[in-house]
Amino acid sequence: MMKFFAINGSPRPKCNTAQLLDKALEGVKSVYPDAEIKRINLYDFPFHGCKSCFACKIKNGKHYGRCVQNDDLKPILDEIVQADGVILGSPIYFSDVTGNMRCFLERFMFPFVAYSKTETVEHKKMPIAYIYTMNASEEVSRQIGYHDLHNHFEMGLSMVFTKPEHLFVYETYQFKDYSRYVSDAFDEAERKQIRETQFPKDLESAFEIGKKIAIQAKQHG
C-alpha cells in the first residue's frame, strides 16, 4: 500500500497550514484512493533537533544513515523515511520556518548526508512538496528575500530527496476577531476578503500539489 505523510509545522492543528495540508492529501487520494495518508502535527509531542552526536556517520555503525536519538519523533521518523511521498507545511516566523519544523528537518535530512566524495547513504528518494504560509504579501515577501531564503533551503531537500514542489500562501487570515489583538498594521476587512476570495484558490493549488506528488511517486515506483 502506498503511504503519504503531511508534516504540519504549525502549532495550530486546524488553521491555514493544516487545512492546506489536508487538501494536499485529498489530492493524493484522487490519484491513489487506497493510499494510506497521515498528517503529523509537530507540536503534538515533545522532540528536539539534531544533537550532533554523529552516530549516523560512524563507519560500519549499526545506525549509519539513521537517526539514533530516542524520543517521541523517532518511531514517527522511522515511518516517514519509508513513505512514498511527503508534503511539508509551515508558517513563516521571523523569515524562516517554525522552530519545530526546523528541528524535524534536521532529523529528517542529516542522517542521509554522507561526509564523503564517493560514498552515499542508501535511502528512499521520495517526492517532496512544501507549503509555506505567511502574513506578508507576495510583494513584501520578495522584497525581504523570502523566496531566496527558501530556494536555498529547498536545495538541501533536493540533494537528499527530490526537487520539491512548492506553494506560497500570502496574507493569511490570522484571527477570528482582529479587534481583540494589537494588529492595526493590517486591514481586517481586506484580510477577510482575501480569505474569502484567495484562500479557496490556495486550497485548490494545494490539492494539485498533492496530485503531483502522487503522480511523481507512481513514476518513482
Side-chain angles (χ1 to χ4, degrees):
M1 181 181 291
M2 303 292 280
K3 183 180 289 189
F4 297 83
F5 285 89
I7 312 300
N8 182 21
S10 170
R12 297 176 170 187
K14 297 181 180 179
C15 291
N16 301 312
T17 306
Q19 291 173 35
L20 290 157
L21 288 171
D22 286 345
K23 187 59 70 171
L25 290 175
E26 287 181 24
V28 169
K29 279 284 197 179
S30 73
V31 178
Y32 285 114
D34 297 328
E36 181 180 344
I37 60 173
K38 186 183 296 186
R39 168 156 57 96
I40 303 295
N41 298 312
L42 294 180
Y43 283 81
D44 281 353
F45 52 91
F47 71 100
H48 52 72
C50 176
K51 286 191 171 182
S52 198
C53 69
F54 295 107
C56 64
K57 305 281 183 278
I58 295 174
K59 293 179 181 179
N60 302 315
K62 66 177 182 178
H63 298 292
Y64 183 73
R66 293 293 182 270
C67 183
V68 71
Q69 299 301 321
N70 190 18
D71 59 8
D72 287 9
L73 180 63
K74 182 170 174 48
I76 297 169
L77 198 59
D78 288 344
E79 279 192 89
I80 293 170
V81 297
Q82 296 301 321
D84 295 289
V86 175
I87 304 164
L88 306 160
S90 175
I92 302 305
Y93 291 172
F94 289 98
S95 303
D96 207 342
V97 296
T98 61
N100 278 29
M101 176 58 81
R102 177 71 192 192
C103 287
F104 168 80
L105 289 169
E106 290 175 2
R107 301 272 297 278
F108 184 43
M109 293 194 293
F110 186 59
F112 299 135
V113 177
Y115 282 3
S116 171
K117 296 178 181 178
T118 57
E119 188 170 340
T120 59
V121 179
E122 293 295 326
H123 66 285
K124 201 165 187 176
K125 290 274 190 177
M126 83 251 323
I128 301 283
Y130 211 117
I131 297 173
Y132 305 92
T133 61
M134 63 198 77
N135 196 29
S137 67
E138 180 174 2
E139 180 183 5
V140 170
S141 73
R142 291 189 182 278
Q143 286 175 354
I144 59 182
Y146 279 7
H147 287 249
D148 293 337
L149 173 71
H150 302 310
N151 285 340
H152 177 74
F153 164 70
E154 288 177 8
M155 184 170 62
L157 286 167
S158 299
M159 290 171 57
V160 175
F161 299 109
T162 57
K163 182 174 176 57
E165 300 288 337
H166 59 236
L167 170 64
F168 295 92
V169 177
Y170 307 100
E171 298 181 284
T172 53
Y173 195 66
Q174 292 183 294
F175 314 118
K176 291 183 179 179
D177 181 2
Y178 274 67
S179 67
R180 293 186 59 205
Y181 304 91
V182 178
S183 58
D184 55 272
F186 310 110
D187 184 326
E188 181 177 4
E190 182 182 30
R191 285 300 168 99
K192 187 173 183 180
Q193 183 183 29
I194 292 170
R195 174 72 179 187
E196 292 172 351
T197 59
Q198 180 58 42
F199 195 67
K201 297 176 184 177
D202 294 329
L203 290 170
E204 290 176 12
S205 297
F207 182 89
E208 291 301 317
I209 271 190
K211 282 180 64 176
K212 284 184 180 179
I213 291 302
I215 291 168
Q216 289 175 20
K218 185 179 289 188
Q219 294 169 347
H220 278 271

